[in-house]
């Protein structure tokens, strides 16, 4: 991950070195120890249905990799960020089957 600078605009000290905050990359835990929630959502999407997968704990690279795999299998678009995967369309049952096959614990949320 990129280093993050602290907020210092200007220093008159010629020997001053910026201090960086190191961002910690979250360690991925095994699939069988993760419980993912799969739900349908229409809020703020002009009435279009999307499938949300919430509760992923792990690195952003692993999240994007899982999101890409699910988008490819479902044949739709979407995104993966902030521990959530969004797949365009109603693919809840298909996604639940794929996640169970990969060893994840899956909960169906909503009707």
């Amino acid at each position: 991950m990129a280093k993050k600078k602290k907020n210092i605009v200007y220093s008159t000290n010629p020997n001053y070195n910026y201090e960086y905050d190191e961002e910690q990359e979250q360690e991925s835990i095994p699939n069988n120890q993760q419980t993912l929630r799969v739900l349908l959502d229409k809020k703020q999407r002009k009435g279009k249905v999307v499938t949300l997968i919430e509760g992923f704990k792990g690195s952003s690279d692993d999240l994007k990799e899982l999101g890409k795999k699910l988008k490819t299998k479902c044949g739709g678009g979407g995104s993966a960020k902030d521990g959530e995967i969004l797949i365009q369309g109603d693919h809840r049952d298909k996604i639940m089957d794929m996640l169970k096959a990969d060893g994840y614990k899956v909960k169906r949320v909503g009707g």
Side-chain angles (χ1 to χ4, degrees), residues 8-106:
I8 295 183
V9 179
Y10 183 77
S11 176
T12 58
N13 183 356
N15 296 324
Y16 182 79
N17 289 327
Y18 284 109
E19 296 176 14
Y20 294 97
D21 289 337
E22 293 290 329
E23 292 184 14
Q24 295 290 330
E25 183 68 28
Q26 191 172 0
E27 193 71 28
S28 292
I29 59 176
N31 296 353
N32 60 358
Q33 295 178 0
Q34 292 195 46
T35 302
L36 302 178
R37 294 176 304 281
V38 180
L39 59 128
L40 295 179
D41 191 24
K42 289 197 283 187
K43 296 177 185 167
Q44 299 179 354
R45 293 180 175 86
K46 297 183 181 180
K48 305 227 169 110
V49 177
V50 296
T51 306
L52 279 175
I53 299 100
E54 299 177 333
F56 184 85
K57 296 178 184 84
S59 68
S60 60
D61 292 337
D62 292 340
L63 177 69
K64 289 179 183 177
E65 183 180 318
L66 179 61
K68 183 175 180 179
K69 177 182 174 184
L70 293 175
K71 288 188 294 185
T72 303
K73 296 281 186 176
C74 294
S79 66
K81 59 184 172 185
D82 300 329
E84 276 187 353
I85 301 171
L86 182 139
I87 308 289
Q88 295 172 350
D90 182 359
H91 302 285
R92 185 168 41 182
D93 296 329
K94 187 187 295 186
I95 288 174
M96 287 179 66
D97 293 339
M98 284 187 272
L99 291 173
K100 285 179 185 175
D102 285 347
Y104 291 98
K105 297 176 189 171
V106 182

